[in-house]
Amino acid sequence: MTRPFLPVLALCACLTAGSALAAPSSADAALPSLNYDPDTGAFTETPPPDRGWQAFADLLKKATPSVDTAVPLTAAQIAGHVSALIDAGRAQEALDIIAKRQAARDASVTPGDDVQLRYLQGRALDALGQRDQAMAVWRQMTTDYPELPEPWNALAIEYARRGQLQLAREALDMALVSDPSFAPALENLGHVQMRLAQESFDRARAAGGHAPKPAQAPAPSANDKTPATQAQ
């Protein structure tokens, strides 16, 4: 079975918490909003505004059928839109879409789980500073989908942010058990191991500066016999 694709969340080289969310660019601001139909549970994109000659636009509007002919977005298209919203600093909007999508799935005849949206839910929570909740989402994913390396990699990032480097390394090891060629985990493991090595060197230097000198052997007394004397 093919492993579902998940967007990658990589560790920064300095292993810090990262910078604050940047203001959306003009391209980010142009992201269309999604229309949600609670009766069908479908999402559609809002059409662009009418442009050009107003009379012609009004004529087109009158010719528009009353029935909604918009094509519902696929699961992959919804996930891509949600990911773009998070990247654009619109994490709360992304969470709202995820909640509606999950509610629609729960109410369907054959409810299921959208793996990509669960992962993106963690990303959105993390972007909003709700990191404990994000970690809870990713931990549950490691239980439900242990074969996926992305949740393990995301957990490692959060552990590293908190200075829990041993836990970060263990999470990255699990990611590589799932997929030995998963490049983000390989790179992140290198960063974590360098940090752990630096900490070991720092502890060694601190211990060496205060280590006691080795004890000297006591001088022999007059009654002690050397091996040469005993041999005679």
Side-chain angles (χ1 to χ4, degrees), residues 50-99:
D50 292 331
R51 300 182 185 278
W53 186 33
Q54 186 60 45
F56 184 63
D58 292 341
L59 181 63
L60 289 177
K61 186 174 181 181
K62 291 179 181 179
T64 302
S66 57
V67 178
D68 185 7
T69 58
V71 178
L73 299 179
T74 65
Q77 288 173 324
I78 295 172
H81 186 87
V82 169
S83 181
L85 287 174
I86 297 171
D87 293 338
R90 295 159 61 179
Q92 186 57 58
E93 189 177 343
L95 281 178
D96 293 341
I97 292 176
I98 292 171

Side-chain angles (χ1 to χ4, degrees), residues 14 61 63 79 115 137 139 146 178:
C14 55
K61 186 174 181 181
V115 179
V137 170
R139 276 200 198 95
S178 303

Side-chain angles (χ1 to χ4, degrees), residues 5-7 10 16 27 30 44 46 49 53-55 73 87 102 151 154 170 177 207 210 214:
F5 168 76
L6 291 178
T16 62
T44 56
T46 302
W53 186 33
Q54 186 60 45
L73 299 179
D87 293 338
Q102 188 57 49
E170 292 172 9
V177 167
H210 299 88

